[in-house]
Amino acid sequence: MTAVFPDLTTPAVAEAEHWTAHNYHPLPVVVADASGAWVTDVDGRRYLDCLAGYSALNFGHRHPVLISAAREQLDRVTLTSRAFLHDQFGPFCRELAELCDMDLVLPMNTGAEAVETAIKVARKWGYRVKGVPDGKATIVVAENNFHGRTTTIVSFSTDPDAYRDYGPFTPGFRIVPYGDLAALSAAVDDTTVAVLIEPIQGEAGVLVPPPDYLPGIRALCSERNVLFIADEVQSGLGRTGATFACEHEGVKPDMYVLGKALGGGVVPVSAVASSREVLGVLRPGEHGSTFGGNPLACAVGRAVVGLLQSGEYQERARELGSRLHEGLGKLVGQGLTAVRGRGLWAGLDIDPALMTGREACERLAAEHGILAKDTHGSTIRLAPPLVVTPEEVDLAVDAIAAIL
Ligand SMILES: *Cc1c(COP(=O)(O)O)cnc(C)c1O
């Protein structure tokens, strides 16, 4: 069962295929507009968006509060550079720091830049505060991680597609199995400045670690004077039913790395948030970004923080997430071999004897108007916007049941 789209060579698809590097393999759906949880293609067909821009669209497409914040800011000032201040900068940093219960925030643009920022800050903290000998800092990371695409970040990827042909690689990283506290503990020594992990591994297939894992990392890091850096670029900001996935385990890391939904699906906005002791190591000229913390980004980011302050979206993710997982759970053994996840976030393993993840996503789109994304052969990721209705959650579950 392949090629369920009748015509993959519509002019719009053919043009994109011809003129861009093939670093993605998109479904041949050409979106023309979108609202809430739904997108409409150039032929007027509607699809329920169950990927939500890999969680960059947690609040749906064109959330009215976010769009009006962006519009107002477009009419005032959009860019100053950090050479000057602007009236959205201080409020954004304060409001985000308060949401994170942290002292300081440093805004960047993309998730990868925020991860790079976290790595640089952790190393600098290691040399200046912890007293690690110059050039010796190590950071412990997990197998099957996904933290972005820069040359330093792919240096500690274990996915050949991500790192192959991109060396020489940045040294200073130790890779241990995800979820294994003993291995993590054994990898930490006096040179270790940070443990960098995703509290739920998204790209790997929505892998939830054992319940004692995050508390174990917290205890280990506190004991050994190591920074616990939680990459919540994808898991954070409501997706799992809490503001941060770490909260489910009652854990507060030393640094949050945020991105994706922080830009409200409008502009790229990322940030790191941490204590004064840690982020305070940076001095003028030692790190920066032309666009990081620009007025438009800060205005949209403030509106995102505002939406999260009420707790409404976290609660929706929790309640609708139970509904989603209950529905999907019934399909285990009926074509699914496993379902994982938390809140409105699920990784489903399709029985490889039935079809590949890619074929499943093609069929979901073509036959049922559901957009989802496969990963690692037979896994599908579902992450609908947190604005979906219970009926729309059922629609997605029923469509998956139908293709199985
Ligand atoms: C997407 C993602 C990133 C990278 O974000 P970009 O904006 O694509 O650079 C980093 N970490 C995690 C956990 C992600 O899911």
Side-chain angles (χ1 to χ4, degrees), residues 36-313:
W38 292 85
V39 306
T40 308
D41 76 7
V42 287
D43 300 318
R45 243 193 109 180
R46 296 178 78 228
Y47 301 84
L48 181 64
D49 184 356
C50 287
L51 179 65
Y54 301 89
S55 290
L57 289 157
N58 275 1
F59 308 98
H61 293 269
R62 300 190 304 112
H63 190 293
V65 168
L66 304 180
I67 294 298
S68 81
R71 279 222 174 91
E72 275 173 37
Q73 195 57 43
L74 282 173
D75 286 335
R76 295 178 55 235
V77 56
T78 54
L79 190 64
T80 57
S81 87
R82 291 282 312 278
F84 315 112
L85 289 167
H86 59 80
D87 64 5
Q88 300 299 304
F89 189 77
F92 172 60
C93 294
R94 175 172 55 77
E95 287 155 15
L96 182 59
E98 284 169 1
L99 185 80
C100 297
D101 188 27
M102 293 285 187
D103 301 330
L104 303 179
V105 156
L106 175 48
M108 301 296 283
N109 309 283
T110 64
E113 284 174 293
V115 172
E116 289 276 352
T117 301
I119 291 167
K120 288 169 78 174
V121 166
R123 285 178 169 183
K124 198 172 186 69
W125 172 87
Y127 299 131
R128 296 294 164 133
V129 180
K130 180 166 173 168
V132 173
D134 190 35
K136 299 290 183 212
T138 56
I139 295 177
V140 182
V141 299
E143 274 173 10
N144 301 317
N145 68 73
F146 183 83
H147 297 287
R149 299 289 196 174
T150 66
T151 41
T152 285
I153 293 171
V154 301
S155 294
F156 55 87
S157 172
T158 56
D159 177 357
D161 284 346
Y163 68 75
R164 202 195 302 114
D165 296 333
Y166 296 141
F169 299 113
T170 306
F173 298 94
R174 291 181 184 157
I175 304 168
V176 296
Y178 188 66
D180 183 342
L181 271 176
L184 188 90
S185 175
V188 168
D189 65 19
D190 291 344
T191 66
T192 307
V193 296
V195 171
L196 166 64
I197 55 109
E198 300 155 83
I200 293 177
Q201 285 192 325
E203 202 68 18
V206 195
L207 304 187
V208 183
D212 64 346
Y213 189 54
L214 301 178
I217 296 178
R218 176 65 282 172
L220 179 77
C221 286
S222 299
E223 229 165 77
R224 310 282 290 272
N225 195 24
V226 167
L227 301 179
F228 177 4
I229 303 175
D231 181 347
E232 294 243 22
V233 169
Q234 197 166 162
S235 59
L237 309 184
R239 171 57 56 193
T240 66
T243 305
F244 303 105
C246 285
E247 281 174 50
H248 294 290
E249 254 62 76
V251 159
K252 184 179 161 193
D254 297 300
M255 192 188 295
Y256 283 117
V257 184
L258 303 173
K260 294 204 165 98
L262 191 56
V266 181
V267 281
V269 186
S270 68
V272 299
S274 188
S275 64
R276 198 166 291 281
E277 175 195 312
V278 174
L279 262 182
V281 298
L282 290 179
R283 293 277 166 265
E286 295 177 348
H287 187 54
S289 160
T290 303
F291 293 99
N294 69 73
L296 184 59
C298 288
V300 172
R302 288 184 72 190
V304 166
V305 172
L307 292 181
L308 288 165
Q309 275 161 352
S310 71
E312 175 196 338
Y313 292 91

